Amino acid sequence: MDKKIKIVRSKILGEVSQDASFEDYWNSKPIRIPLIGKELNLVFMDFEPEKDESFIQEADSALDNFLKLGDEYRHQISGLIYDHFRDFCSKVGKEDIPDEMKEIDKSEIWKFISPSQILIARRPYNEPDIFINMTCQCKWEKEHGLQLVFKKGKALTRVSDQDGYLTKADAYNIPDSEDELLAKFEE
């Protein structure tokens, strides 16, 4: 017997439908993301409507913030992404760095990134805030990709491989105060 797919309504995304395979995943239609200038699918992740009644309202607020980020903000965060790339380079052999990336500067880093999906989730540890995780493929790390995570959709608070964690603090079991980008977050 087929399971009936449920629908929830978001002020920003409209109808968001329950995933056929994962009951706590909810998929939207693609929307335009000004930060990258393209449309992406969005997914509410680890969301159970009957257990988290404020999720959609908080997700809409985070999305409203996130959709205000554009070219200027993309330029502002390029250095953080470039630093992540340089850190990768320091850990691998020169032969593992794509030739076309060996002499780039931070202004060129976006040429080598392909955002693929946006995951919206509540942080399961410490502060239960909503985070927006833009998962990306990147030229330099084909196996693990790249994730750009934005707390409440307002500011970039994590640049890392796609490891499933929303914060460095959670990934490394350290206090939020020791997570450099998260600690800098201001309301």
Side-chain angles (χ1 to χ4, degrees):
M1 180 170 147
D2 288 335
K3 191 168 63 169
K4 182 163 169 85
I5 301 295
K6 296 179 187 173
I7 305 274
V8 295
R9 190 161 239 348
S10 157
K11 288 181 182 176
I12 305 284
L13 302 174
E15 288 187 350
V16 182
S17 55
Q18 189 175 33
D19 191 90
S21 300
F22 301 102
E23 288 184 5
D24 60 348
Y25 281 40
W26 299 74
N27 304 299
S28 81
K29 292 181 178 158
I31 66 165
R32 184 162 172 45
I33 309 300
L35 182 67
I36 56 168
K38 76 181 241 187
E39 288 190 354
L40 287 180
N41 291 329
L42 287 87
V43 177
F44 290 161
M45 216 172 109
D46 301 323
F47 170 50
E48 298 177 62
E50 58 284 348
K51 291 183 180 177
D52 191 350
E53 294 177 9
S54 65
F55 183 93
I56 292 178
Q57 182 180 355
E58 291 176 51
D60 278 349
S61 177
L63 281 167
D64 185 51
N65 294 327
F66 183 69
L67 295 173
K68 291 175 183 169
L69 303 176
D71 291 339
E72 185 177 324
Y73 193 73
R74 184 177 64 238
H75 177 70
Q76 288 175 17
I77 64 174
S78 294
L80 295 170
I81 300 165
Y82 180 76
D83 290 346
H84 176 74
F85 162 66
R86 297 302 309 156
D87 184 56
F88 169 84
C89 292
S90 73
K91 295 175 183 172
V92 299
K94 289 184 180 184
E95 67 280 357
D96 294 322
I97 302 166
D99 288 339
E100 65 271 31
M101 294 190 75
K102 288 183 178 169
E103 300 296 324
I104 69 164
D105 63 37
K106 72 178 184 177
S107 69
E108 300 170 285
I109 196 70
W110 287 96
K111 293 179 193 175
F112 303 97
I113 300 170
S114 298
S116 53
Q117 186 176 37
I118 295 192
L119 307 171
I120 303 158
R122 185 177 297 286
R123 185 180 182 197
Y125 313 106
N126 300 324
E127 298 175 63
D129 292 316
I130 297 289
F131 285 78
I132 295 179
N133 181 354
M134 184 165 57
T135 61
C136 309
Q137 300 302 313
C138 61
K139 184 81 173 180
W140 65 91
E141 175 52 288
K142 292 182 180 181
E143 184 177 350
H144 299 106
L146 173 72
Q147 67 179 12
L148 306 175
V149 184
F150 302 80
K151 182 176 180 177
K152 297 184 178 181
K154 291 181 177 183
L156 184 67
T157 53
R158 184 150 195 237
V159 178
S160 70
D161 299 347
Q162 293 179 32
D163 64 3
Y165 290 100
L166 296 172
T167 68
K168 182 178 179 180
D170 295 343
Y172 295 99
N173 196 25
I174 59 174
D176 287 1
S177 60
E178 293 178 24
D179 181 331
E180 184 180 354
L181 290 178
L182 188 61
K184 289 180 183 177
F185 179 81
E186 295 180 8
E187 288 292 330

